[in-house]
Amino acid sequence: MEFKRCERCGCFFASNDNVCYNCGAKERFEMSKFKTYIEENNISNINSLNNLSVETGISTKTLNRFLSYNDFSEIAEQINLK
Ligand SMILES: [Zn+2]
């Protein structure tokens, strides 16, 4: 375990996760919402991060972070994020 800074609220915590204990539930909820959305929708209709944010109800800041993960690099490319 190492000390990390929570990617949601910025507090320091000891864990191997990306977010702290307090933010964990929201993080998992939004991640599953995001995954469900990209599985069930034609993301070629999505042409901006803002658009995706409106569609999913997830903040652009969080979406940016999700899309920076290797799992979603193809999606990020498809949406052509700059
Ligand atoms: Zn946090």
Side-chain angles (χ1 to χ4, degrees), residues 17-35:
D17 297 333
N18 292 318
V19 298
C20 73
Y21 179 77
N22 289 332
C23 297
K26 191 158 196 226
E27 174 81 356
R28 283 189 296 277
F29 174 74
E30 291 193 341
M31 177 57 89
S32 72
K33 204 167 159 192
F34 176 66
K35 281 184 175 165

Side-chain angles (χ1 to χ4, degrees), residues 45-57:
N45 293 331
I46 302 287
N47 50 21
S48 75
L49 197 63
N50 246 339
N51 201 338
L52 188 60
S53 174
V54 171
E55 292 290 326
T56 57

Side-chain angles (χ1 to χ4, degrees), residues 6 8-11 19-20 23:
C6 175
R8 292 193 82 102
C9 71
C11 77
V19 298
C20 73
C23 297

Side-chain angles (χ1 to χ4, degrees), residues 35-73:
K35 281 184 175 165
T36 305
Y37 183 83
I38 57 181
E39 277 166 19
E40 293 180 351
N41 293 274
N42 184 358
I43 59 155
S44 59
N45 293 331
I46 302 287
N47 50 21
S48 75
L49 197 63
N50 246 339
N51 201 338
L52 188 60
S53 174
V54 171
E55 292 290 326
T56 57
I58 302 169
S59 73
T60 53
K61 185 182 171 216
T62 300
L63 285 173
N64 248 326
R65 185 158 52 77
F66 287 172
L67 290 167
S68 72
Y69 297 154
N70 280 340
D71 289 5
F72 304 118
S73 58

